[in-house]
Amino acid sequence: MSPEDRLLFARIVLKNNLASEAEVKACIEEAEERLRKGQKVPITDIFLRRKLLEKGQVRAVLDALRQTHQVQALNRKISGYQFITELGHGTAGTVYLARQLSMGREVAIKVLNEDVSDDPDFIEKFHREAKSAARLNHPHVIQAIDVGEGQGVHYFVMEYVEGESLQRILKRDGRIDDARAADFALQVCKALQHAHRHGLIHRDIKPGNILINAQGTAKLCDLGLARPVGSQATSTATGRTAGTPAYMSPEQALGKPNLDVRTDIYSLGATLYHAVTGKIPFVAHNLPELLTLLVRGEFKPPRDLCPEIAEATEHVILQMMATERSRRPASPEDIQALFEDLLAQLPPAPPLVLQTPSGKQILPPTGLSRSGEFRLPVLLAISGTDAGKRFVLTRNRMLAGRLSTADIRLHDVWISRHQFHILQDQAGIRIEALTDSNATEVNGLPVRVARLKPGDVISIFKTSLKLEFEAPS
């Protein structure tokens, strides 16, 4: 690692509060002293030996270092945009947050990965996505802005959505409430209506391609597989059936020609299945086995996996996921009517918390008439380094500690990196201490496991947190 990269590595560690300034300085001084003695010891090894970083944290910092180099390279190659940071990556492309200099606005830029940038088929698919998106102008479809090439780098500029994909929400929360899932699906259905009117089918509806912004708006993205209705094209550049197997329709899995909008209706149904159950419809040991189950329609009804799902929700999902496409609703308009009827029957969904680059965003309950009955559990820091901060409890299990990956990240350097877990279940909220050092106390008494009620105070060394229930803002 070069001297410049060592310093950058150290800055990333400091920026993420993984170690103190004095600890980082000592590591750099040791690395430089060893170099003067002719010993080439990676600075990562020094941080590990001093137990300042764990292996997973070292990997994360090295990945941030890699991303920094990539951003710097892109800023040299592509004019008109200032690349800021990586947002996500896939097998063929990486998406970055950037600033469009001419308009002074933030945008998302998908860059074709270097290992496929010389492949004509991937390039063609990449530009087709941009052209398909450019044909559509709808509040529930990601807006296309520009497409181009700079010094061999192919890029596609699109609207930046500050929020999360449905996939990330499900990975973090497990599942979401019926009404919330139906609301998102209804919005995607409206996007499909718009695409269908323009003669396009998406062919890759899945949680990862649905973005949710801080206002609760669902936006459909990734039109790389979009084709005209009735298109004969069924394969990717690698010759395999296009799409994501866990969500694709049986006719798409079989590579049948003349696909129509009902393949998207099936995939939206499979996405809704995942959203309300927390599980993908088909579970198999390998791809051939999965495709066999898919073509046969062998999946468990949603309520078998999650009994609290409403019968009406299950009924809609089973209609959308009918194996024979003639048994599915025929159009997005039919699906919209189903979702509107479903939402009229379902009780409102509780608030949903999004993790965005700007911090947590709380989506209010669905259905304004009963929104006042919902309260969010919050840990309010009343003393210590974090005094005044609010930590919203968003999941069944949340980790609290000094570690940078903790859900409730505390900055008191005297507490443990993994201090305690907060768990929510049908009986309420409980705390589980994870360490004997700097004992975790509730209302002044040391605990290992305890139930919590509003007003209880959790104390660790000089940090105290009070449990409260607040109406969503």
Side-chain angles (χ1 to χ4, degrees):
M1 187 180 292
S2 68
E4 293 79 11
D5 279 351
R6 280 201 303 273
L7 291 175
L8 184 54
F9 183 94
R11 282 200 292 270
I12 294 171
V13 170
L14 283 172
K15 181 180 179 182
N16 289 277
N17 198 37
L18 299 175
S20 69
E21 188 172 348
E23 289 169 333
V24 169
K25 183 178 179 182
C27 289
I28 293 174
E29 288 176 348
E30 180 179 338
E32 292 174 347
E33 177 64 24
R34 286 179 173 242
L35 276 175
R36 285 192 291 269
K37 295 178 179 179
Q39 301 172 0
K40 294 184 178 180
V41 180
I43 196 168
T44 53
D45 290 357
I46 297 174
F47 274 93
L48 288 169
R49 181 175 52 78
R50 290 174 176 246
K51 296 183 179 180
L52 297 173
L53 297 179
E54 298 176 357
K55 289 183 178 179
Q57 292 175 303
V58 168
R59 287 194 295 270
V61 176
L62 289 174
D63 186 57
L65 185 63
R66 173 193 60 80
Q67 291 184 32
T68 300
H69 287 310
Q70 289 178 332
V71 165
Q72 291 171 345
L74 289 170
N75 281 327
R76 290 192 298 268
K77 293 180 179 180
I78 298 176
S79 61
Y81 300 94
Q82 180 187 1
F83 285 76
I84 300 170
T85 188
E86 181 181 313
L87 295 174
H89 62 272
T91 54
T94 302
V95 180
Y96 295 88
L97 172 64
R99 177 168 291 278
Q100 186 180 18
L101 299 178
S102 62
M103 301 295 289
R105 62 177 174 180
E106 289 184 333
V107 294
I109 302 182
K110 180 184 285 189
V111 174
L112 194 61
N113 289 343
E114 191 174 323
D115 57 343
V116 295
S117 60
D118 292 330
D119 188 319
D121 291 320
F122 275 103
I123 294 172
E124 189 273 334
K125 174 181 175 295
F126 189 78
H127 285 266
R128 183 174 64 244
E129 176 184 2
K131 292 175 181 177
S132 296
R135 292 173 60 180
L136 306 178
N137 182 16
H138 192 271
H140 297 300
V141 178
I142 292 292
Q143 179 187 0
I145 295 174
D146 190 17
V147 66
E149 181 267 336
Q151 298 186 37
V153 177
H154 295 269
Y155 63 92
F156 166 34
V157 185
M158 66 195 94
E159 169 191 6
Y160 170 58
V161 176
E162 184 178 14
E164 287 190 285
S165 70
L166 181 56
Q167 179 179 342
R168 283 188 59 185
I169 295 171
L170 295 176
K171 184 176 181 179
R172 185 182 65 249
D173 295 351
R175 61 177 294 270
I176 58 177
D177 188 90
D178 289 26
R180 183 74 65 182
D183 178 55
F184 291 156
L186 173 59
Q187 295 182 58
V188 174
C189 176
K190 293 176 181 179
L192 294 181
Q193 289 180 23
H194 181 73
H196 192 222
R197 294 190 191 109
H198 285 75
L200 289 175
I201 53 175
H202 189 283
R203 301 199 311 156
D204 199 20
I205 306 292
K206 59 183 179 182
N209 285 339
I210 299 171
L211 300 181
I212 312 298
N213 70 13
Q215 290 72 48
T217 302
K219 289 180 176 279
L220 187 59
C221 65
D222 200 346
L223 290 152
L225 298 181
R227 288 289 195 280
V229 174
S231 170
Q232 302 296 312
T234 59
S235 298
T236 64
T238 57
R240 296 174 295 181
T241 301
T244 304
Y247 306 95
M248 68 171 59
S249 69
E251 64 269 23
Q252 190 173 346
L254 290 170
K256 289 185 176 180
N258 299 314
L259 296 178
D260 59 32
V261 73
R262 287 174 293 182
T263 194
D264 284 344
I265 289 172
Y266 182 98
S267 297
L268 182 56
T271 296
L272 182 59
Y273 182 109
H274 185 177
V276 297
T277 66
K279 307 288 184 182
I280 58 175
F282 303 98
V283 179
H285 295 97
N286 51 55
L287 181 58
E289 181 182 340
L290 186 148
L291 293 177
T292 298
L293 294 174
L294 193 157
V295 170
R296 292 176 179 174
E298 297 179 2
F299 61 89
K300 291 183 178 180
R303 284 169 51 82
D304 285 6
L305 297 176
C306 191
E308 56 262 43
I309 294 169
E311 290 184 17
T313 303
E314 180 179 78
H315 181 64
V316 170
I317 292 172
L318 295 180
Q319 286 186 72
M320 297 174 72
M321 293 186 66
T323 303
E324 295 294 329
R325 62 180 173 182
S326 60
R327 295 173 52 207
R328 294 176 215 148
S331 70
E333 287 77 12
D334 293 336
I335 292 294
Q336 179 174 345
L338 285 176
F339 281 133
E340 288 172 346
D341 289 343
L342 176 60
L343 284 166
Q345 299 176 52
L346 294 173
L352 180 68
V353 177
L354 299 182
Q355 300 282 2
T356 74
S358 300
K360 291 180 180 177
Q361 302 285 343
I362 302 173
L363 303 187
T366 60
L368 297 177
S369 60
R370 294 176 55 186
S371 62
E373 69 186 57
F374 294 108
R375 292 293 186 272
L376 291 170
V378 174
L379 287 181
L380 174 64
I382 56 177
S383 67
T385 309
D386 296 291
K389 287 188 179 179
R390 296 166 63 256
F391 302 95
V392 180
L393 307 184
T394 61
R395 310 205 302 280
N396 293 336
R397 179 184 291 266
M398 294 182 69
L399 171 68
R402 187 162 55 90
L403 193 67
S404 64
T405 54
D407 307 299
I408 303 168
R409 184 181 174 192
L410 304 171
H411 294 84
D412 187 335
V413 297
W414 296 103
I415 72 169
S416 298
R417 296 184 178 192
H418 296 138
Q419 185 69 34
F420 61 81
H421 273 136
I422 288 283
L423 301 98
Q424 300 183 67
D425 54 30
Q426 292 181 343
I429 298 175
R430 72 180 190 273
I431 184 171
E432 291 183 357
L434 299 175
T435 177
D436 291 323
S437 62
N438 296 320
T440 300
E441 298 180 347
V442 175
N443 299 328
L445 298 176
V447 299
R448 292 297 298 180
V449 179
R451 285 286 173 186
L452 297 176
K453 61 183 182 301
D456 283 349
V457 175
I458 304 166
S459 299
I460 324 100
F461 197 64
K462 295 183 178 180
T463 294
S464 295
L465 305 144
K466 184 178 181 181
L467 177 65
E468 298 182 344
F469 285 77
E470 300 179 358
S473 55

